[in-house]
């Protein structure tokens, strides 16, 4: 659970994912509703109906869009009959005549927003961590997903995304970190590999073709973290996968000091990673430039007075 959330303030959990050991721990009983459906919003819509309540039009529209997003327009592998039923009901309440058009417009808008995200935003925007404690492997694995209608836009930025994956892995003390780029139109994906540990585990789990100097694995028609990615990784780890002892050292940011800050020049207010040494050198250069300008101005003022 996000550390900014006070667990004492949580009164209930409605979800469609499996509970992890670090999801939530409470001191008192709370309301729990977890179902193996395609979307949490399907559960909420179903709850409205079982309580004989009709959701307001705006609420129905939001729930409808959320289900279409979670289930990839009802085409994803996690889609259930309940999701299809609730989409039909919500579309009627919200007055949506063309669900396909709504989904298309929604996916295009989402992809457009992704194009403006920084590497930090892409890596951390939809990232979840999963804890393992087996005889051969102990620790957390981060798994981020980027869903887009145009994966080439994201792939063109791989040189800035890979270092951010390494930095994020260090900061969060993860044993491995992955980012899957999912094309929600073609329903296919690829996996970014930022180091030898990730490559070894991905080979054991998925065995896809690797390209771009060992940094990208083809995952074929796998598109769901909940159904296609994490269950396979979990099975491989539980079956005894261990980090090979002879792995070469991967990319590292151990010797690089950096921090996150809002980019003052970005109109969207994106967060970027700043190399402290580079920033310090740039600041010293700016100060030196300002000093030269001031000295030149003082000299001009002096010559003007003499004249």
């Amino acid at each position: 659970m996000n550390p900014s959330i006070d667990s004492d303030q949580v009164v209930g959990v409605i979800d469609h994912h499996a509970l992890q050991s670090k999801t939530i721990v409470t001191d008192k009983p709370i309301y729990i509703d977890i179902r193996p459906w395609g979307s949490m919003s399907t559960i909420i819509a179903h709850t409205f109906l079982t309580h004989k309540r009709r959701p307001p039009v705006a609420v129905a529209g939001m729930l409808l869009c959320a289900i279409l997003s979670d289930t990839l327009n009802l085409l994803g592998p996690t889609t259930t009959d309940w999701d299809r039923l609730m989409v039909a009901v919500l579309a009627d309440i919200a007055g949506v005549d063309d669900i396909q058009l709504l989904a298309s417009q929604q996916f295009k808008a989402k992809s457009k927003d992704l194009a403006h995200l920084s590497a930090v935003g892409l890596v951390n925007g939809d990232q979840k961590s999963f804890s393992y404690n087996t005889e051969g492997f102990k620790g957390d694995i981060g798994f981020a997903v980027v869903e887009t209608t145009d994966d080439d836009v994201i792939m063109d930025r791989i040189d800035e995304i890979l270092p951010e994956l390494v930095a994020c892995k260090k900061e969060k003390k993860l044993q491995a970190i992955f980012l899957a780029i999912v094309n929600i139109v073609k329903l296919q994906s690829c996996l970014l590999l930022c180091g030898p540990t990730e490559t070894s585990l991905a080979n054991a789990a998925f065995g896809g073709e690797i390209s771009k100097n060992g940094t990208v694995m083809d995952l074929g028609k796998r598109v769901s973290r909940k159904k296609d990615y994490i269950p396979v990784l979990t099975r491989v780890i539980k079956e005894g996968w261990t980090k090979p002892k002879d792995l070469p050292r991967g990319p590292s940011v151990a010797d690089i000091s950096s921090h996150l800050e809002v980019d003052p020049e970005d109109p969207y207010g994106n967060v970027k990673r700043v190399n402290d040494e580079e920033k310090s050198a740039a600041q010293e250069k700016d100060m030196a430039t300002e000093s030269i300008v001031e000295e030149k101005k003082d000299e001009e003022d002096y010559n003007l007075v003499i004249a």
Side-chain angles (χ1 to χ4, degrees), residues 186-225:
K186 299 178 181 178
L187 293 180
Q188 60 188 36
S189 68
C190 62
L191 190 67
L192 299 192
L193 309 172
C194 67
T197 297
E198 287 75 11
T199 301
S200 174
L201 181 52
N203 270 325
F206 309 115
E209 182 180 348
I210 296 179
S211 60
K212 294 189 180 297
N213 297 319
T215 60
V216 179
M217 174 179 284
D218 180 15
L219 293 182
K221 292 296 183 179
R222 299 181 181 93
V223 294
S224 171
R225 175 170 49 200

Side-chain angles (χ1 to χ4, degrees), residues 114-124 152-168 179 181 192 194 215 253 260 263 266 270-274:
L114 286 175
H116 299 300
L117 284 182
S118 64
V120 175
L122 291 172
V123 170
N124 292 276
D152 288 338
V153 172
I154 308 300
M155 290 298 296
D156 287 342
R157 301 176 58 189
I158 190 172
D159 289 340
E160 59 177 306
I161 295 175
L162 288 173
E164 180 56 36
L165 282 169
V166 177
C168 181
L179 187 149
I181 301 173
L192 299 192
C194 67
T215 60
V253 292
L260 301 178
D263 186 349
D266 191 322
N270 273 310
V271 174
K272 67 175 182 178
R273 184 172 299 281
V274 178

